[in-house]
Amino acid sequence: MTLAAARAIAPALQVHAADPAATAATLRRLTAWCVRYTPWCAPDPQGNGIWLDITGCAHLMGGEAGLADDLRARLRQMGKRAGYTVRLAVADTPGAASAVARFLADEAPVIVPEGRAMERLESAPAAGLRLDPGLLADLDRLGLRTIGDIAGLPRISLQRRFGAVIALRLDQLTGDAGEPVSPLMPVPDLRSRIAFPEPIGTRDSIDAALGQLLDDLEARLEARSLGVRRLDLTAFRADGTAQTIGVGTSRPVRDAAALERLFRDKLDGLDPGFGIDLMMLGVRAAGPLSLKQPLMLRQAQHEGSDVSGLTLSPTKGAARDEAIFPLVDRLANKLGPRNVNAFVPVASHMPERACNETPLLNGDDDVRRAGPLQPFPRRAIRPLRLLPNPVAIDVMAPVPDHPPLLFRWRRRAHKVAHADGPERIGPEWWLEAAAGTDPAARETRDYYALEDEDGARFWVYREGLYRPDRPPKWFLHGFFS
């Protein structure tokens, strides 16, 4: 009704300006808080409601009734401070639960028995079908005011008169048509949760709870031969808010002690507020991790016996690799996932295009696509430091294909003591043609590794093949250690 009509009925009516953005933000916050019950939580498309798909989760709270009672009690406690009320319903489909909660529920949660949704909703208003206001007005003029009135009509007649939307809503109500719930947040691959009889708030109790969660998660990951790449810890506070902190790893890990060390610095920023009543670990990304240990086999012959034995010892390279990964993980989680990078090979012959810089810990959007870093292919020797743009140098060299005897760089002459090469790299004509440029614009390069009399080592190349009518062009492209 209009505001004037409402004030005529209730002169003491208090009026406040609507704030749709704030309402949506509050609804999203409440939806994120409901993840404590199930990962499949989403705001109701109609607004002012939340859908929870509790399939497979109700047993954690003693069944559907127990979960609904706990949810109602916590939301009512928050509502006393925030000024809103709540009505709950549990049914087979989102549409049925929404209709029962909005039009048939009171203060107590309503549990609709399986397959009885239409029976319970026959007397519910037609608005329970979530139709447009204009369509509801047309149905009201025809005397179709309840869901039972509409469901009793032939579907073909409804579709000819009003389109397919009414039939679709009826099918969604009974489950004959699917209506998936798109979760607000990504659903974790695995979850481990712990609820406390009384809210906790000290660092020691938080550390102890985290250790218990990680031990439980480690056992479940080992049973599946998996390791985590991205792990989120969510603390649900007694005031109805939640805080999430996450860590990532450069390779699949399931060692509880190693993961606890990664969380150690992040826990300093965790605010328990008035107390934490539930903590949950969620695996956002995982990868295969089999029971393997890099070993080197040495066959030994026992004295005075024909029996041969095998001695197992870790290889030096494997031990070095295993030692560097924990350091990478700690640095990346402390400095940020985009601040610790590695060079990965690219399918290109040109040295300046042969690798890309990529974070060792990928961000939230890329972590599910992240795989192990691939080793560089074994090619000819490459310098440790490569200049972003080759620098022109003056060179004295015999023709046509001999290495330089002397070159000048930064006004200093370097007399060559040792040289290795050439390594010829041709232009990638297939890429140039695809880009619409002239392949002939790029020249063949002959690379040489040079060492001067002072022991400094350089990587230089001559551009183009030898031509008597044109002096060659030489460039400095990198430095060896």
Side-chain angles (χ1 to χ4, degrees), residues 297-477:
L297 304 182
R298 297 199 306 269
Q299 188 169 2
Q301 183 76 28
H302 296 278
E303 293 186 8
S305 173
D306 295 333
V307 180
S308 298
L310 292 177
T311 301
L312 309 181
S313 61
T315 62
K316 293 182 179 180
R320 182 185 64 246
D321 293 342
E322 291 299 317
I324 196 65
F325 281 122
L327 174 62
V328 169
D329 294 343
R330 294 198 66 182
L331 289 175
N333 283 279
K334 190 175 184 63
L335 303 177
R338 299 295 182 182
N339 295 325
V340 180
N341 302 327
F343 291 101
V344 295
V346 176
S348 176
H349 298 298
M350 306 307 294
E352 59 269 25
R353 296 204 296 255
C355 65
N356 279 338
E357 189 176 1
T358 183
L360 283 171
L361 267 65
N362 290 268
D364 292 344
D365 296 336
D366 302 331
V367 69
R368 293 186 180 273
R369 297 189 296 271
L373 295 179
Q374 299 297 324
F376 279 87
R378 294 185 176 274
R379 295 174 179 168
I381 188 170
R382 290 291 183 267
L384 182 64
R385 181 186 172 193
L386 195 69
L387 294 175
N389 297 303
V391 179
I393 56 176
D394 297 327
V395 172
M396 179 185 298
V399 293
D401 294 324
H402 289 275
L405 301 176
L406 182 144
F407 68 92
R408 187 177 299 275
W409 175 56
R410 290 185 175 178
R411 300 181 181 179
R412 179 184 172 185
H414 296 265
K415 189 174 181 180
V416 177
H418 303 282
D420 184 21
E423 177 194 356
R424 179 160 294 178
I425 299 178
E428 297 174 329
W429 55 266
W430 57 92
L431 296 180
E432 303 296 336
T437 57
D438 184 7
R442 300 187 67 90
E443 297 278 0
T444 299
R445 299 177 182 180
D446 284 341
Y447 278 88
Y448 296 87
L450 308 179
E451 181 179 340
D452 66 6
E453 293 180 336
D454 297 330
R457 303 182 66 199
F458 305 88
W459 203 42
V460 303
Y461 71 87
R462 182 185 65 239
E463 185 178 75
L465 302 176
Y466 171 73
R467 292 176 56 180
D469 58 336
R470 189 182 67 179
K473 295 181 180 180
W474 289 83
F475 296 88
L476 174 64
H477 203 174

Side-chain angles (χ1 to χ4, degrees), residues 174-257:
T174 59
D176 293 332
E179 189 172 8
V181 177
S182 297
L184 178 66
M185 297 182 293
V187 178
D189 298 332
L190 284 173
R191 292 202 310 168
S192 181
R193 65 195 297 274
I194 180 172
F196 310 107
E198 295 292 336
I200 64 172
T202 64
R203 178 61 184 269
D204 291 341
S205 57
I206 294 174
D207 288 342
L210 176 61
Q212 183 175 341
L213 289 172
L214 287 171
D215 289 340
D216 175 67
L217 192 63
E218 180 181 10
R220 297 170 64 185
L221 288 169
E222 185 174 3
R224 301 190 183 190
S225 298
L226 293 176
V228 300
R229 289 291 307 275
R230 174 74 184 182
L231 189 61
D232 288 348
L233 173 67
T234 304
F236 297 89
R237 295 184 283 240
D239 60 355
T241 59
Q243 183 180 356
T244 300
I245 57 177
V247 298
T249 61
S250 54
R251 76 204 193 289
V253 175
R254 64 166 171 258
D255 182 10

Side-chain angles (χ1 to χ4, degrees), residues 10-86:
L13 181 67
Q14 296 184 11
V15 179
H16 301 276
D19 190 348
T23 300
T26 301
L27 192 63
R28 289 177 64 87
R29 178 179 60 82
L30 287 174
T31 304
W33 177 84
C34 287
V35 173
R36 63 181 293 147
Y37 297 100
T38 171
W40 292 89
C41 299
D44 187 344
Q46 284 188 296
N48 299 329
I50 302 173
W51 284 356
L52 284 76
D53 187 347
I54 60 173
T55 304
C57 302
H59 69 281
L60 298 174
M61 304 295 297
E64 295 176 350
L67 189 150
D69 289 337
D70 185 83
L71 177 58
R72 170 181 171 271
R74 295 183 184 277
L75 289 177
R76 285 193 65 186
Q77 186 66 28
M78 288 189 288
K80 291 179 180 179
R81 297 187 298 268
Y84 52 79
T85 58
V86 59

